[in-house]
Amino acid sequence: MPVVNRIADMSAEMAAWRQHLHTIPELGLECHKTAAFVAERLREIGVDALHEGIAKTGIVAIIEGRGEGPTIGLRADMDGLPITEETGVPYASTHDGKMHACGHDGHTAMLLGAAKYLAETRNFAGRVALIFQPAEEFGGGGEVMVQEGIMERFDIAQVFAIHNAPGKDFGSFNTRSGPIMAAADTFHIRITGKGGHAARPHDTIDPVVAACSLVQALQTIVSRNRNPLDQLVISATQIHAGTTDNVIPESCYINGTIRTFSKEVQAMVVKRMQEIVDGHAASFGLTAELEIEFGYPPTVNHAAQAEFAAEVAGDVAGEAGVNPDVDPVMGAEDFSYMLEARPGAYLMLGQGDTAGVHHPKYNFNDEIAPIGASFFARLVERSQPVSA
């Protein structure tokens, strides 16, 4: 595996950084300890400028290259998840009910490793903007950083990110042109009927029966309203009603998720859901309200950047170690906002047969950190070569 030799020499240091971050997972925009650690490492590395407090705890650090040129953005997310860790590792979370169950500690360590190499060698033109982002899991920190103007403020021309991928071959890179991750929207349905004694259902308007019928009907959007060539998931994940066996409740609540890759399919789903909810309310003689909470948009790679990123990945992993047309996944990612603001690409880096992300036994594989850091370094050097 032709990782950069200097970065390979940093393997133990990157693992130490990552394992320290693993002990202090933080949620949302409140990544104060994490950001302080990252800022301290960046000062030691010798970046040319350090901008803190973006999106509350986000950081953008600048490394100047040799001569004039554009600015390339490299992003790592920093936040953890509200999960109680079950790994049993000696560096397990010290923050109760929180853990790095998605590998953002590893993403941060990879970008720090690339930063150290790039600050030492500066074998590129223009500038590198190192983006350390909070609140990927909850809160849309990527959107906040874009709204706070990082693309314009730092004149970022293109932007790239890596996510680890359990289950993918160790050290393999996986990407594609176009949508690679889905939009994630949440629906809430509140049904109000007429409660009463369960032995006298004819005196009630039962919201539970309506809810059961409604959940079944929502699946017809996928099976009968969607073009079979379009990808779509609608999952009802919660139904809450009632308190005991002999009372028909007054109301019922349904909650779930919608995953789409295009605005056209998303708009169709919203229209049909409203029609189905309204129709059920009328047919069951009760009231029903639909609320859709729009979340992260789809993560859409730009064609030229995805193709170039796959080429660079081949420098590190070899041609056989790159899948440039991986199947998209229905998970969501707020790097989507950065890709809406600037051209770029998102890649997945295989970490072998490990527990999956968002699992209490998940742990980032430190052995892939030099591979990811080498990709970032080669990406910068090939994208912005120094003039002869």
Side-chain angles (χ1 to χ4, degrees):
M1 185 79 62
V3 300
V4 176
N5 288 338
R6 177 66 186 101
I7 292 176
D9 292 341
M10 300 177 198
S11 295
E13 187 174 26
M14 282 191 285
W17 292 338
R18 200 281 298 183
Q19 291 172 19
H20 172 74
L21 290 170
H22 194 85
T23 68
I24 55 166
E26 297 172 290
L27 305 183
L29 297 173
E30 305 297 331
C31 293
H32 300 283
K33 292 181 181 179
T34 303
F37 178 84
V38 169
E40 186 177 357
R41 300 290 80 75
L42 291 169
R43 291 187 183 96
E44 292 172 354
I45 286 167
V47 298
D48 295 291
L50 184 61
H51 304 272
E52 300 177 74
I54 303 169
K56 198 166 188 178
T57 53
I59 293 171
V60 175
I62 302 296
I63 301 175
E64 300 283 352
R66 304 180 190 178
E68 294 298 318
T71 301
I72 184 171
L74 307 176
R75 173 269 206 171
D77 37 16
M78 302 189 296
D79 57 320
L81 282 158
I83 295 174
T84 298
E85 184 163 352
E86 297 178 7
T87 62
V89 296
Y91 50 85
S93 171
T94 59
H95 293 176
D96 290 344
K98 302 174 186 177
M99 75 169 286
H100 271 295
C102 203
H104 297 183
D105 50 348
H107 303 165
T108 299
M110 285 194 295
L111 189 53
L112 284 172
K116 185 169 183 176
Y117 169 84
L118 292 167
E120 288 177 356
T121 59
R122 301 184 187 258
N123 188 31
F124 61 93
R127 304 191 303 169
V128 177
L130 307 161
I131 304 166
F132 294 90
Q133 179 212 307
E136 188 280 321
E137 299 290 356
F138 310 103
E143 181 182 26
V144 177
M145 293 189 88
V146 169
Q147 289 175 342
E148 292 187 8
I150 65 167
M151 300 302 176
E152 296 80 15
R153 179 179 174 186
F154 303 109
D155 196 24
I156 295 171
Q158 54 182 346
V159 63
F160 296 85
I162 298 175
H163 200 291
N164 73 95
K168 296 289 186 183
D169 290 343
F170 173 85
S172 67
F173 287 89
N174 303 269
T175 192
R176 63 178 285 113
S177 175
I180 189 169
M181 297 189 80
D185 303 321
T186 302
F187 66 86
H188 309 270
I189 302 171
R190 296 172 178 85
I191 301 171
T192 304
K194 178 184 176 184
H197 200 295
R200 298 181 59 81
H202 57 287
D203 290 334
T204 73
I205 303 175
D206 192 341
V208 177
V209 175
C212 293
S213 177
L214 180 52
V215 169
Q216 296 272 28
L218 292 177
Q219 293 308 311
T220 66
I221 300 174
V222 178
S223 65
R224 289 296 178 268
N225 302 130
R226 170 194 63 114
N227 184 326
L229 299 178
D230 292 329
Q231 291 166 302
L232 169 64
V233 169
I234 300 174
S235 292
T237 55
Q238 297 185 75
I239 301 178
H240 297 283
T243 57
T244 189
D245 65 294
N246 63 349
V247 176
I248 291 174
E250 183 88 4
S251 61
C252 183
Y253 168 75
I254 305 170
N255 171 237
T257 189
I258 306 163
R259 303 296 171 111
T260 58
F261 284 106
S262 75
K263 293 188 182 300
E264 292 76 19
V265 173
Q266 183 188 55
M268 180 275 291
V269 171
V270 171
K271 178 177 181 292
R272 286 296 294 134
M273 286 189 79
Q274 188 66 65
E275 291 170 349
I276 289 170
V277 168
D278 291 345
H280 272 67
S283 65
F284 283 90
L286 40 67
T287 62
E289 296 180 357
L290 170 66
E291 175 192 353
I292 294 182
E293 182 183 340
F294 293 100
Y296 298 166
T299 303
V300 182
N301 282 344
H302 297 250
Q305 282 71 25
E307 181 180 355
F308 179 69
E311 283 183 27
V312 175
D315 290 349
V316 178
E319 185 177 348
V322 180
N323 182 351
D325 193 25
V326 69
D327 290 336
V329 297
M330 302 308 287
E333 160 66 68
D334 79 341
F335 187 61
S336 54
Y337 293 106
M338 296 191 184
L339 289 177
E340 287 186 336
R342 290 294 185 273
Y346 183 82
L347 299 90
M348 299 177 186
L349 174 57
Q351 74 161 27
D353 186 15
T354 69
V357 295
H358 294 220
H359 189 282
K361 292 186 178 179
Y362 167 86
N363 191 23
F364 180 84
N365 185 346
D366 286 314
E367 293 183 11
I368 68 168
I371 302 169
S374 294
F375 167 78
F376 277 142
R378 291 295 192 215
L379 184 72
V380 172
E381 291 174 343
R382 284 196 52 181
S383 177
Q384 299 175 188
V386 178
S387 299

